[in-house]
Amino acid sequence: MDILQPQSKLNKTNPLSHKLQKLLSISLENEQTKEAFKELSTFYTDNTAVARRNLMNNIEQQEMLINNTFLNSLKKVNDEVVLLEKELNSMNSMFNEMANELTDKKNNMKHIIQQTNILNKQKTQLELKKNISETFLSKFTLTEEEINCLTVRGPLERSFFEAMTHLQKIINDCQILLISNNQTAGLEIMDKMSGYQEKAFENLFHWAQAETRIMTKENPEITSLFRDALVVLRQRQVLFQLCMDEIAQIRKEAIVKSFIDALTVGGPEGIPRPIEFFAHDPLRYVGDMLAWIHQTLASEREMLQGLFDVRGKKMENGEPVTSTADQEYYDDMEKIFTIVPDNKTIIELLNKILEGTCRPLQVRIEQIFKSSNLGVVEIYRIYSLLQFYHNTIENVLGSEAFINVSLQKLIEKALEIFYNNLRIQGEQLLEYSEPISNDLQPSSILKEGIMQLKDIMASYDTSLVSNNDKEAGFSEILSLLIDPIMQFVGLSSTNLNKYDSAIYMINSLTLLQNTLNQYSFTKKSAEKLNVEIGVYIDILIHEEYINILNQSGIESIIHAAQTAIRENKPPQSLQAMQIKNINESMKKFDEFLCSVNLDLSRNLMTLSQTELAVEIGQKGITQFIQNYEELYNYLMDSANGYVNTSSEGETLINLHTVQELKTLLCLNTDTI
């Protein structure tokens, strides 16, 4: 312990120990230390005692070398900074001189700048006035090209109508000037533009008149320029009407020529054949002529609609065929002119165009009416045909059209002839005498008249008369047809006995009723016949009852019983009501019941309706059974002395009950 103690003191006081400890505490991992040693290795190459002694000196010399190098570098920089300062001072002085000069110049140019600003303002105002003037001139004046288009006569192009649109717009705008403070300018411009406009309308009218020559063709091709011309001419109604009259006259002549050719020449190479080739068939002849006129009306109407269809609005796949440029052009035109097609003008033109066909049509149809070969049905079919086309054309042209007036006259003539023929035919029918057949069926002349009625009703049913008006419209014709038939049937049956007359009347009236029931507008007349048919059915029922009663063998006792009841007499006071006579009558009645089937079938077999014959037979039997029931009840009444008699007197035998009689007669009448 004592040995170590001095050692400890040495450590604390010895500088070398202290330095050694300091060196040992240095961390070799420090980056600065590494850099220091790395720099030291550049000039400390030998690890000798001399080198170690001179290390500090070498380091200080190295430091001085570095500082000298740094000072030299700073000196250069300082020299440059000094030079820069001199340059900056020079530039500063120059800038000051320039600023002073600018200040002087600005003071000197202030008046010029003010003058320049004034001129700029004046320039702006002049440019605005220039723009206003140019806009005014473009709005209220025409270009040289537009003036030439409007005033120089010659073929027209789209540019003419564009210039006319511009001209009309200028005139419309002048109306605004006239109600403003610029009346003088408005009047001057209006006067000048009006002169151009009158000249333009004159040129347009002459060009349009020349263009109407294309309308002479059968199917004229209407150009868009001609459509535009009509739109513009509409602003001058007199000129427009002159063009319309020219078109109507040209088309009228063309249609008349085509109609005459269709009547006499036919189509190319004779196909289709001339309409007059079928003059022997009046109905087809009239129908072909009216169909040709109706077809022509449709084609002419389509042509005129195309003539006024300025935009060319015919559609293809749902889209207008006009281009976008055309649409813009017509949009601009529509703002100035009315380009909507005028349906009234089209109707007036169609009326005038078809006027030429009236005379040829009327003459030929009247010639048919003069023919004595026309039957009632045929003349009525011609009347229906005329009425149909009259109504069809009236829907397009109206009732005042020339062609409709002609058709109305022909309709009245046809109806007059029809009514006259009906009256004559009715008179002839009443004068006609034809023996009735043994089967009591309607005569051939009657069937012919009813067939004629059916044909007329069929023709009337196809007419355009509404269902509500058909009955009233056909009433007069029906009366003229049915009344002679009814009178003829009545006169024909006068020579028959009451029974056969009733059957003949029922057969004839039933045939007429079945015909009338086929159409709704004659059903009421058919129902009215039920009353007359019912009268004759009642006659047959009564005759059938009388026939049964006469054949039954009990006629005398039924009449006697009715007399006793009516006169309140004792029944046996009458000879026929004595028990012996009653029994003999009942014996005959039994014999009748065995043969009643054959007799009934033979009497009603001539009725055309089997069901009606069965019904009449059953009702006759029913009436007979009712009278028999009265007789039976009368005989069974104890107060009359026919029942509960003494065993010594006579009693009633073979007396059938009412139910037995019903059973027997019903079985025997099943086959009627």
Side-chain angles (χ1 to χ4, degrees), residues 413-543:
K413 184 67 175 178
L415 201 59
E416 179 185 353
I417 295 173
F418 173 70
Y419 283 143
N420 288 337
N421 288 357
L422 277 183
R423 293 186 184 95
I424 293 172
Q425 181 177 280
E427 294 171 359
Q428 292 175 346
L429 182 64
L430 296 178
E431 294 175 358
Y432 188 82
S433 176
E434 181 182 7
I436 298 176
S437 60
N438 294 331
D439 58 2
L440 301 178
Q441 295 301 312
S443 62
S444 59
I445 189 67
L446 178 61
K447 290 180 179 178
E448 183 180 341
I450 293 177
M451 182 60 66
Q452 188 180 81
L453 169 64
K454 183 177 179 181
D455 291 340
I456 293 174
M457 288 192 300
S459 180
Y460 182 77
D461 188 53
T462 60
S463 65
L464 298 179
V465 181
S466 64
N467 292 332
N468 296 331
D469 298 333
K470 276 188 175 180
E471 183 178 345
F474 196 68
S475 60
E476 184 177 358
I477 298 175
L478 189 62
S479 176
L480 290 173
L481 286 166
I482 289 183
D483 290 349
I485 291 176
M486 296 292 292
Q487 294 178 27
F488 173 77
V489 172
L491 291 174
S492 300
S493 62
T494 53
N495 296 327
L496 299 175
N497 59 51
K498 191 175 183 180
Y499 192 88
D500 290 344
S501 176
I503 291 178
Y504 176 74
M505 291 298 293
I506 290 175
N507 288 339
S508 300
L509 295 179
T510 301
L511 177 62
L512 177 59
Q513 186 183 49
N514 292 337
T515 303
L516 295 176
N517 274 327
Q518 295 180 14
Y519 299 97
S520 59
F521 54 88
T522 54
K523 281 192 174 181
K524 287 187 178 180
S525 298
E527 292 173 358
K528 291 179 181 178
L529 290 177
N530 285 332
V531 177
E532 292 197 40
I533 294 175
V535 171
Y536 293 110
I537 289 175
D538 291 340
I539 292 174
L540 285 182
I541 292 172
H542 182 71
E543 291 296 322

Side-chain angles (χ1 to χ4, degrees), residues 80-96:
E80 292 294 331
V81 170
V82 172
L83 181 60
L84 178 61
E85 183 181 5
K86 291 180 179 180
E87 292 292 334
L88 288 174
N89 290 333
S90 176
M91 289 177 64
N92 186 42
S93 61
M94 290 176 64
F95 286 143
N96 289 334

Side-chain angles (χ1 to χ4, degrees), residues 4 23 66 146 264 373 397 405 421 437 450 506 553:
L4 295 174
L23 291 172
I66 292 170
E146 289 176 330
T264 58
N373 299 326
L397 300 182
V405 171
N421 288 357
S437 60
I450 293 177
I506 290 175

Side-chain angles (χ1 to χ4, degrees), residues 320-336:
V321 299
T322 51
S323 63
T324 304
D326 287 338
Q327 292 291 348
E328 293 176 355
Y329 165 73
Y330 287 118
D331 286 341
D332 292 338
M333 180 180 280
E334 192 170 19
K335 296 175 183 177
I336 307 301

Side-chain angles (χ1 to χ4, degrees), residues 263-275:
L263 288 170
T264 58
V265 179
E269 299 180 359
I271 298 175
R273 291 180 177 180
I275 296 176

Side-chain angles (χ1 to χ4, degrees), residues 303-351:
M303 183 271 293
L304 292 176
Q305 286 175 339
L307 180 63
F308 291 100
D309 184 18
V310 179
R311 285 182 178 266
K313 292 181 180 177
K314 294 182 179 179
M315 309 297 285
E316 291 181 0
N317 300 323
E319 298 293 335
V321 299
T322 51
S323 63
T324 304
D326 287 338
Q327 292 291 348
E328 293 176 355
Y329 165 73
Y330 287 118
D331 286 341
D332 292 338
M333 180 180 280
E334 192 170 19
K335 296 175 183 177
I336 307 301
F337 303 109
T338 301
I339 66 173
V340 179
D342 187 356
N343 191 53
K344 182 180 179 182
T345 302
I346 293 176
I347 291 175
E348 289 176 355
L349 286 174
L350 287 173
N351 184 23

Side-chain angles (χ1 to χ4, degrees), residues 121-373:
K121 290 181 181 179
Q122 291 177 351
K123 178 184 176 182
T124 303
Q125 292 176 354
L126 290 173
E127 288 179 349
L128 178 61
K129 290 180 180 180
K130 178 185 175 184
N131 293 334
I132 293 173
S133 298
E134 290 177 349
T135 303
F136 182 84
L137 291 174
S138 64
K139 190 176 183 66
F140 290 99
T141 60
L142 297 171
T143 64
E144 289 297 327
E145 291 79 6
E146 289 176 330
I147 293 173
N148 289 333
C149 284
L150 294 175
T151 57
V152 177
R153 183 175 297 183
L156 301 187
E157 297 179 356
R158 174 67 68 84
S159 58
F160 175 87
F161 298 100
E162 292 174 350
M164 280 294 289
T165 303
H166 188 198
L167 175 61
Q168 187 63 42
K169 188 175 185 301
I170 292 173
I171 293 175
N172 293 342
D173 291 338
C174 282
Q175 305 295 330
I176 301 174
L177 290 178
L178 293 176
I179 61 175
S180 65
N181 294 328
N182 299 305
Q183 294 183 358
T184 302
L187 289 172
E188 291 177 357
I189 296 172
M190 180 73 78
D191 183 60
K192 191 173 183 179
M193 293 300 114
S194 297
Y196 291 146
Q197 190 180 49
E198 292 303 320
K199 184 63 176 177
F201 272 116
E202 181 182 348
N203 292 341
L204 180 61
F205 174 68
H206 289 297
W207 179 85
Q209 271 195 324
E211 282 293 303
T212 54
R213 288 176 297 183
I214 65 174
M215 309 296 287
T216 57
K217 299 179 182 178
E218 185 174 352
N219 296 309
E221 295 182 3
I222 309 300
T223 63
S224 61
L225 291 178
F226 192 44
R227 296 191 190 101
D228 296 344
L230 294 180
V231 170
V232 177
L233 279 176
R234 191 184 293 272
Q235 313 310 311
R236 291 290 186 271
Q237 194 60 37
V238 174
L239 300 180
F240 179 76
Q241 192 59 48
L242 287 174
C243 275
M244 293 299 100
D245 293 341
E246 186 76 14
I247 291 173
Q249 184 62 31
I250 291 173
R251 291 308 300 162
K252 175 181 175 181
E253 294 173 358
I255 293 302
V256 170
K257 182 179 182 302
S258 297
F259 187 43
I260 298 301
D261 289 344
L263 288 170
T264 58
V265 179
E269 299 180 359
I271 298 175
R273 291 180 177 180
I275 296 176
E276 291 187 345
F277 182 82
F278 302 99
H280 62 280
D281 184 353
L283 186 62
R284 177 171 181 178
Y285 184 39
V286 173
D288 286 351
M289 287 191 291
L290 293 175
W292 190 95
I293 291 175
H294 180 259
Q295 183 179 359
T296 301
L297 170 63
S299 61
E300 289 297 300
R301 184 185 184 190
E302 183 179 359
M303 183 271 293
L304 292 176
Q305 286 175 339
L307 180 63
F308 291 100
D309 184 18
V310 179
R311 285 182 178 266
K313 292 181 180 177
K314 294 182 179 179
M315 309 297 285
E316 291 181 0
N317 300 323
E319 298 293 335
V321 299
T322 51
S323 63
T324 304
D326 287 338
Q327 292 291 348
E328 293 176 355
Y329 165 73
Y330 287 118
D331 286 341
D332 292 338
M333 180 180 280
E334 192 170 19
K335 296 175 183 177
I336 307 301
F337 303 109
T338 301
I339 66 173
V340 179
D342 187 356
N343 191 53
K344 182 180 179 182
T345 302
I346 293 176
I347 291 175
E348 289 176 355
L349 286 174
L350 287 173
N351 184 23
K352 294 177 182 178
I353 289 171
L354 292 179
E355 181 184 3
T357 62
C358 297
R359 183 60 182 168
L361 176 70
Q362 192 168 350
V363 168
R364 283 163 174 78
I365 295 181
E366 287 178 350
Q367 188 64 35
I368 293 173
F369 290 158
K370 293 177 182 179
S371 172
S372 59
N373 299 326

